């Protein structure tokens, strides 16, 4: 990953206000959690004598899952732009090759997601029940959701318009964690179709044994999805 590549990506993103706004999502979400959420909790407590503070970590965890999704969406659209422009085909005959190009396009959103997730956890104290070792394992697992989003767009979207429709449909996966906490057991397991369901359970687990169980499921689930999507993407790109 070179400075030249980052400068090129900046010029590419600068021309699309939607992508710029998507890159700002982590900061917007942090602002909502740091400033707006405490005010809402205080207002509800004063007006209706109901305490929303137990839902603070739940809301923060949901916002946390949005970060890699947005990073993957941004670079998924970058990939679609470059594929439409014939850039990927041109790179295929250079020493970098398609493999080097794909590593770069997967690496940037993955690294950006890891940095933003770490800051989000630390600044909002969302990982207080997890040890540093557990967080170091969990952060890249959650960040890998950016790769799922990117490969989903690359594998199934023929252009940016179709990519926009697919990215909206990806919101179905965000429903999984909500179902987990809105529905009573055992109905809450309906949300288990979503990898975000298992990732959020890993972060919020109240016991170490539960953490390791949910983390293992999350890793297996993510690996399976990435394997399927990568094969589909390669088949479409060849």
């Amino acid at each position: 990953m070179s400075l030249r590549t980052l400068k090129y990506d900046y010029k590419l993103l600068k021309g699309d206000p939607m992508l710029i706004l998507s890159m700002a999502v982590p900061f917007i979400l942090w602002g909502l959690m740091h400033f707006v959420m405490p005010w809402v909790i205080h207002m509800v407590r004063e007006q209706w004598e109901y305490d929303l503070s137990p839902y603070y970590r739940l809301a923060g965890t949901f916002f946390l899952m949005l970060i890699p999704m947005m990073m993957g969406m941004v670079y998924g659209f970058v990939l679609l732009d470059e594929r439409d422009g014939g850039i990927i085909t041109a790179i295929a005959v250079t020493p970098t090759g398609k493999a080097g190009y794909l590593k770069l396009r997967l690496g940037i959103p993955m690294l950006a997601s890891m940095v933003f997730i770490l800051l989000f956890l630390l600044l909002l104290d969302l990982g207080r029940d997890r040890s540093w070792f557990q967080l170091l394992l969990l952060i890249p697992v959650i960040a890998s959701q950016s790769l799922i989003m990117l490969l989903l767009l690359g594998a199934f979207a023929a252009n940016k318009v179709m990519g926009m429709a697919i990215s909206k449909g990806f919101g179905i996966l965000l429903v999984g964690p909500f179902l987990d906490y809105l529905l009573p057991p055992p109905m809450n397991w309906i949300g288990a179709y979503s990898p975000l369901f298992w990732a959020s359970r890993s972060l919020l687990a109240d016991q170490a044994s539960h953490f390791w169980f949910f983390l293992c499921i999350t890793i297996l689930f993510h690996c399976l999805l990435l394997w399927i999507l990568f094969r589909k993407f390669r088949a479409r790109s060849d």
Side-chain angles (χ1 to χ4, degrees):
M1 188 184 303
S2 65
L3 185 61
R4 182 180 301 176
T5 302
L6 295 178
K7 287 182 178 179
Y8 166 77
D9 288 350
Y10 172 72
K11 291 180 180 179
L12 193 65
L13 296 175
K14 188 172 64 173
D16 193 323
M18 186 197 73
L19 296 184
I20 289 291
L21 181 61
S22 298
M23 290 295 290
V25 162
F27 303 100
I28 296 172
L29 296 179
W30 176 81
L32 289 174
M33 288 298 299
H34 186 71
F35 297 107
V36 179
M37 190 66 176
W39 176 79
V40 171
I41 291 174
H42 175 75
M43 183 186 68
V44 171
R45 184 185 295 121
E46 291 293 320
Q47 294 291 327
W48 294 284
E49 298 182 353
Y50 185 80
D51 187 13
L52 288 176
S53 57
Y55 299 98
Y56 179 85
R57 288 190 68 212
L58 179 60
T61 300
F62 174 75
F63 285 160
L64 184 71
M65 300 299 160
L66 285 174
I67 293 175
M69 186 186 76
M70 300 309 295
M71 297 298 105
M73 186 190 75
V74 168
Y75 275 88
F77 284 133
V78 169
L79 185 146
L80 292 177
D81 267 341
E82 292 176 335
R83 186 164 66 188
D84 290 343
I87 295 176
I88 299 179
T89 303
I91 290 177
V93 298
T94 67
T96 301
K98 283 186 178 180
Y101 167 81
L102 190 57
K103 288 178 182 177
L104 184 65
R105 281 292 167 249
L106 293 174
I108 294 176
M110 179 72 178
L111 181 60
S113 296
M114 289 176 62
V115 172
F116 282 130
I117 289 170
L118 176 61
L119 293 174
F120 208 79
L121 289 170
L122 293 179
L123 294 175
L124 298 175
D125 197 27
L126 296 177
R128 59 179 177 271
D129 293 337
R130 305 271 70 87
S131 67
W132 268 105
F133 178 67
Q134 291 174 334
L135 288 178
L136 289 176
L137 293 175
L138 186 58
I139 287 171
V141 174
I142 297 176
S144 68
Q145 293 166 7
S146 64
L147 308 185
I148 294 174
M149 183 64 179
L150 187 152
L151 290 174
L152 188 69
L153 292 173
F156 294 102
N159 49 56
K160 288 184 70 174
V161 175
M162 188 179 296
M164 182 64 69
I166 292 175
S167 64
K168 290 180 180 178
F170 191 77
I172 295 173
L173 297 183
L174 294 173
V175 179
F178 270 119
L179 295 177
D180 190 20
Y181 294 98
L182 291 178
L183 298 179
M187 295 295 292
N188 59 327
W189 286 96
I190 294 175
Y193 71 88
S194 169
L196 280 62
F197 171 97
W198 300 100
S200 62
R201 280 205 162 203
S202 300
L203 181 60
L204 298 172
D206 55 357
Q207 297 180 28
S209 59
H210 293 169
F211 167 81
W212 293 113
F213 172 76
F214 292 131
L215 180 64
C216 289
I217 298 295
T218 306
I219 292 173
L220 292 174
F221 203 164
H222 283 202
C223 287
L224 176 62
L225 288 175
L226 288 171
W227 178 73
I228 294 172
L229 292 172
F230 184 75
R231 284 174 59 88
K232 177 67 177 176
F233 173 78
R234 288 295 298 268
R236 183 162 192 159
S237 300
D238 292 338

